Amino acid sequence: MNRIKLSLLSALGITALFAGNALAEINVAASFSITEDIVHEIGGDRVKVTAVIPRGSNPHSYSLRPQDLMTLEKADIVFLTGLGFDDYLKRWASAPEHQKKIVDISRGIKPIQNENDDHEGEDHENEHEYHAEHEHHHQGTDPHAWQNPLNGTVYAENIRRELCNREPDSCEFFTGNAENYIKSLKNLDSRYQELFARVPDKNRIMITTHDAFNYLADRYRITILAPRGITDSHEPSAGDIAAIETLMKENKVHAVFIENLAANAAVEDLSRKNGRVINGMLFTDSLAEEPEGNTYLRMIEHNLRVIHDAMLQ
């Protein structure tokens, strides 16, 4: 009987020991689905991550819901995408009690300035109210840095560093995941650097719905023509359309794309009027349910592949 009691107590003691040493799960809020996915790749099962802007929602016109505010309040870390992308959170983030858990994952990325700010000269006094405005402003900076996979490696390293700071006992785990993930992104970039190098310069022009690919264009030496600005809320004028149509004809542009979240009517009309074929859909501001766009790595690979293939036609 004593032996049974001793065995039982020993088992309970061992169970309690393991429970006491269990690694804590970090509760993370990510500004949108692409950041959420990168956090998940690095944090694995030691992180619980929720996107503030749900997958499939347009971040340029998103309004915070009460449940989004609850997600932010409960989070140990709030990962912001940076470069003005998260202006919809500016009021929440300005509170002193929130600032200590905010991390901008764009630190180390060289921003690209938008040459034509869609909202220059507007009155921005109340633009960051939670629900009053349905449009996000980027103050001349293009926030779409994730379209260059090397910028994705910067995001990953910033996320790894912060997770290690919050949970040092899991740092080796986070670092191993980050190293593998960064290697995958660098390999993808190297492959497409070689592939685009074989595309003639005269073919390196593409038309898409809004100006979300400046970082990709800069990395792979591509010219982008887009009727809409860096936020797809900018309604193109007749002059915008006419200018793109002229360039399309002069340069014999055949790489024409629509986007998964944008209003694509202008590009579809241009394509139909000029006898062009839409070469596919690009993923811009959100991950998707489709397999080719349901992770950040797959999304970038899909975009690069269809753009490259269209330019070889």
Side-chain angles (χ1 to χ4, degrees):
M1 185 71 172
N2 288 337
R3 289 181 180 177
I4 294 173
K5 286 182 178 179
L6 181 61
S7 298
L8 181 59
L9 289 171
S10 297
L12 289 172
I14 291 171
T15 302
L17 178 64
F18 278 114
N21 290 337
L23 295 171
E25 183 182 61
I26 307 173
N27 193 356
V28 172
S31 60
F32 78 138
S33 59
I34 291 173
T35 304
E36 176 194 29
D37 182 64
I38 300 173
V39 173
H40 175 72
E41 290 289 340
I42 296 167
D45 60 3
R46 301 186 190 184
V47 169
K48 179 183 178 182
V49 56
T50 304
V52 177
I53 300 178
R55 181 177 301 221
S57 298
N58 189 332
H60 296 302
S61 57
Y62 189 76
S63 292
L64 286 175
R65 305 165 300 173
Q67 57 263 46
D68 300 326
L69 295 174
M70 288 297 297
T71 295
L72 292 164
E73 293 294 337
K74 291 178 180 179
D76 302 312
I77 308 172
V78 177
F79 283 120
L80 301 185
T81 309
L83 303 178
F85 178 82
D86 315 285
D87 278 357
Y88 69 100
L89 289 176
K90 195 167 186 178
R91 180 180 170 189
W92 180 89
S94 66
E97 65 271 21
H98 298 151
Q99 291 175 7
K100 61 185 178 181
K101 61 181 177 180
I102 292 172
V103 177
D104 182 343
I105 65 170
S106 71
R107 289 175 301 181
I109 290 175
K110 182 180 179 181
I112 291 177
Q113 298 302 314
N114 179 45
E115 295 179 359
N116 300 301
D117 188 350
D118 294 343
H119 311 286
E120 185 176 354
E122 291 183 7
D123 180 5
H124 293 180
E125 182 179 356
N126 298 314
E127 71 187 11
H128 299 305
E129 290 296 319
Y130 283 154
H131 301 289
E133 286 288 333
H134 296 275
E135 186 174 307
H136 302 164
H137 304 265
H138 305 299
Q139 300 177 337
T141 300
D142 186 344
H144 302 89
W146 57 85
Q147 294 294 349
N148 177 346
L150 293 188
N151 289 337
T153 71
V154 177
Y155 293 151
E157 174 55 23
N158 286 333
I159 290 167
R160 182 207 67 81
R161 185 183 301 113
E162 184 60 26
L163 293 179
C164 283
N165 287 341
R166 298 298 178 112
E167 193 58 47
D169 289 343
S170 292
C171 189
E172 185 177 352
F173 174 79
F174 298 144
T175 299
N177 288 347
E179 287 174 349
N180 291 332
Y181 190 65
I182 287 170
K183 182 179 179 180
S184 296
L185 287 167
K186 287 183 175 179
N187 287 343
L188 177 65
D189 171 69
S190 295
R191 187 163 82 249
Y192 277 93
Q193 279 286 324
E194 294 177 5
L195 289 171
F196 276 107
R198 302 170 193 166
V199 177
D201 288 345
K202 65 182 179 63
N203 290 6
R204 294 186 185 213
I205 305 176
M206 60 177 274
I207 295 173
T208 189
T209 302
H210 88 293
D211 215 1
F213 293 92
N214 290 318
Y215 292 89
L216 183 149
D218 182 67
R219 180 63 183 162
Y220 302 102
R221 296 192 298 113
I222 294 169
T223 298
I224 307 288
L225 304 177
R228 295 176 180 268
I230 58 172
T231 68
D232 61 4
S233 58
H234 167 73
E235 193 65 33
S237 67
D240 294 332
I241 301 297
I244 291 176
E245 185 172 14
T246 298
L247 290 169
M248 174 190 277
K249 293 176 179 178
E250 289 177 350
N251 294 281
K252 300 179 180 178
V253 180
H254 290 277
V256 182
F257 301 95
I258 55 176
E259 299 172 11
N260 64 320
L261 295 179
N264 294 301
V267 169
E268 290 170 337
D269 288 345
L270 271 171
S271 177
R272 183 169 51 251
K273 182 179 177 182
N274 292 277
R276 301 293 195 269
V277 175
I278 300 291
N279 294 112
M281 179 176 290
L282 301 178
F283 298 102
T284 53
D285 299 328
S286 173
L287 298 182
E289 298 302 327
E290 295 91 338
E292 63 270 25
N294 65 1
T295 71
Y296 173 59
L297 194 58
R298 289 176 182 170
M299 181 196 87
I300 292 296
E301 183 163 18
H302 167 83
N303 286 350
L304 290 172
R305 177 177 54 79
V306 297
I307 291 169
H308 169 265
D309 291 353
M311 289 180 176
L312 288 181
Q313 293 181 7

